[in-house]
Amino acid sequence: MSNLMLVLIVLGLGAVGFVLGRSRAMSVAGGDRRKLHSLPVYYAAHVGLNTIVPALLLLFGWMIVQPMIINSSVSGMIPASAIEEGGNLSLLMSDVRRVAEGLDIAVTQGAMTVSEATNLSADADNVRDKLAAVGVALGSDVTTDTLHAAQRYRAMAATGNLWKSIVAIGAALIGMAVALRLTAVAFRARNVVERGILMVLIAAASIAVLTTLGIVLSLIFNTVEFFQLYPASDFFFSLSWNPSFSGRGGGSELGILPLLWGTLYISFIALLVAVPIGLFAAIYLSEYASNPVRSFAKPLLELLAGIPTIVYGLFALLTVGPMLVSVFGDNGALGVGWMQGGTAVMTAGLVMGIMLIPFVSSLSDDIINAVPQSMRDGSLGLGATHSETVRQVILPAALPGIVGAILLAASRAIGETMIVVLGAGAAARLSMNPFDAMTTVTAKIVSQLTGDSDFASPEALVAFALGITLFVITLGLNVIALFIVRKYREQYE
Amino acid sequence: MEDMIQMDRAMSTEQDIKISANGVQVYYGENHAIKDVNVEIQDKMVTAFIGPSGCGKSTFLRCINRMNDTIDICRVEGDIRIDGEDIYDARVDPVQLRAKVGMVFQKPNPFPKSIYDNVAYGPKIHGLARNKAELDEIVEKALRRGAIWDEVKDRLHAPGTGLSGGQQQRLCIARAVATEPEVLLMDEPCSALDPIATAQVEELIDELRQNYSVVIVTHSMQQAARVSQRTAFFHLGNLVEFGDTDKIFTNPEDPRTESYISGRIG
């Protein structure tokens, strides 16, 4: 019985339990729902949940544990000599699983009978050809050991699946019976169901937290592996980024500093664009704009945040870059010849700045609006003009929030990829000239992991070290932002 | 001393009118909030506006320093004069007017700045001090007038928001006083305070009377009776009765006033 089928059966039993629970509750109350502690629907939900939840948990647990048990039992059957021949155990085990699956398919397609499949012998029958006939291609001939292991695997899996079905359905039935027995006039079904809902909420929260933890751990493990292949001091302090593409050749120079410099330079220019424009826009929208203007302009500004970054990248590549070249390039309007090509720090920085405007303006706008009206009244009542009020009372009061907004925009800028890939070029370079092409950490993570590089080489693993560095930087920025907001949050009340 | 105050009081009743309002109408959009109010407020005296919620007393108060200008849908008609000068004249800068007519609000609203900067805010904006020493002097004088100097003189650079509610309100009064206003408007200044802080602020209002014309909106009739010399009773946007506080509370002319102060309406 397939897992999907089992889940459907359990859910069906849950629905039956729901109906039974309701009618049971009504019958213990003698048809008068006012006598019950909770509404009938809570008794129904209680029975339904008791049917479904333990059964599904058991099912999932079983699905995790069963392959582990079968694997360890079957891998014991494979002799050490076969492991040496076949490279390593995991490769052999995947062969075993593949043969087992192939036999299953052959049986379901009718190419073999059940007894044939169980009594197959590697020497007499050409297993590889037989399986190829039903569409399962094997890399090498099947040895006796592998075939035995595969047959053992099949047998264990069949028994396991049978017991799995029995246990899951049994758990559902037992849960339903217990819940129906508990149903009584005084039973507090409402409280129990609400506790169940609380569990769901806790589970959802822990999934989010655990995922973060998982991402961090995977970064850390791969980074540790990288530092075993490549010295950490070179990674952090080398001034050149020059990965070799020969594959296993080594000789790569993987210094993070040029990339970090590019990242920070581009982010700096982006913030230089986004912070004043965003902040001034926010001040205008929240303090001066009339309601019709505000209700029209604010969504329009926020639309900027909805544009995919790749589109910004195209804008940088096709519009902003050539425009900048025509001003700062060799034959440009200024005739200064600072800029050689359209891709440059300035191009990416400008476009990224435009992308960040709505982040700064929208958050700042909300923060400025949150400054209580009594502050404005107090200042106006003392004979201050509107702009004096904004400058001397409202902005200082909103400043912590605004700093938080800017830091959020900064971490967004540091993590930005597509604009950089298209707008800033691919050359890792330490230069002060904002019209030079440079590249960033994120862009290099992309280029190190795309293509067919060996995943165990330092050239690929360096991506994880770059990733965790970036993660630490943005995490630091977020922590600082939170700290500033908390520390300087004004108590208006 | 007591004699001098008595003399002061006798003189002030004869003194000229500080604020005079004639035929004032206020509209919030379609809503006619103030209907044809005439009132004359004398200098160096506390005038209380009383009345049930929504009767327009705060709205009228906010006409006197043109704070209603900051509300888009609000429209003021009629004639309000301070020292004979029409404050709704096109030549009057509402910003300058508000420096002359200080205001204290219902909830203490110190700026999120230090105590010193809160008080120095108005003088700095209006350029009242030529140097730091003068500014220090103005701040100290204002804090003394606000009867809070002794409590804060050792922590002038602590945030104003860290004070207690009553202290915050006295700080706001000191802040309003610092710009040397001639009139002080108070919109229910004690409604967010506990009885002890209320008593301190009331005492302060009585002292402020020596230098300013004070107009106070209050919900508490006892407070009006305690601090004011003249009382105006508003009801549904109309000024029902205006006269000496003693008379309003002991022998009101209008039956509505009588009903309100005896607790039958409101």
Side-chain angles (χ1 to χ4, degrees), chain A residues 455-479:
Chain A
F455 232 76
S457 70
E459 283 78 17
L461 284 172
V462 70
F464 294 99
L466 292 176
I468 202 164
T469 313
L470 212 54
F471 178 76
V472 169
I473 292 174
T474 48
L475 185 73
L477 276 180
N478 285 342
V479 169

Side-chain angles (χ1 to χ4, degrees), chain A residues 41 124 128 175 217 260 263 268 275 320 400 452 462 489:
Chain A
V41 69
R128 193 179 172 189
L217 284 180
L260 217 50
T263 303
F268 176 71
V275 170
V320 176
D452 50 359
V462 70
R489 179 180 290 154

Side-chain angles (χ1 to χ4, degrees), chain B residues 151-171:
Chain B
E151 288 156 69
V152 301
K153 64 179 182 224
D154 299 325
R155 45 171 176 157
L156 285 177
H157 295 282
T161 44
L163 297 172
S164 74
Q167 288 174 325
Q168 286 189 12
Q169 194 61 303
R170 279 179 285 148
L171 174 65

Side-chain angles (χ1 to χ4, degrees), chain A residues 373-386 388-389 392-393 396-397 490-493, chain B residues 62 65 67 70 95 98-99 101-103 105 107 109-113 121 125-126 161 175-176 179:
Chain A
Q373 183 61 31
S374 66
M375 294 287 140
R376 295 183 180 83
D377 283 348
S379 173
L380 293 173
L382 285 170
T385 62
H386 198 157
E388 282 165 343
T389 303
Q392 302 197 19
V393 175
E490 299 300 342
Q491 283 98 31
Y492 301 125
E493 295 305 319
Chain B
R62 290 166 66 96
N65 69 345
M67 275 301 275
T70 60
V95 172
R98 289 183 203 132
V101 184
M103 188 159 191
F105 296 86
K107 243 173 61 182
N109 58 347
F111 302 135
K113 298 172 183 288
Y121 181 76
I125 284 177
H126 299 294
T161 44
R175 189 176 69 183
T179 55

Side-chain angles (χ1 to χ4, degrees), chain A residues 304-366:
Chain A
L304 273 182
I307 299 175
T309 55
I310 186 76
V311 176
Y312 280 110
L314 292 177
F315 178 60
L317 186 67
L318 299 177
T319 314
V320 176
M323 209 176 72
L324 285 175
V325 171
S326 73
V327 177
F328 298 102
D330 276 335
N331 301 313
L334 295 178
V336 285
W338 289 337
M339 203 168 171
Q340 307 308 322
T343 52
V345 168
M346 191 53 99
T347 315
L350 282 180
V351 175
M352 205 191 279
I354 295 169
M355 181 195 81
L356 293 178
I357 288 172
F359 282 87
V360 178
S361 78
S362 191
L363 281 172
S364 308
D365 180 55
D366 291 344

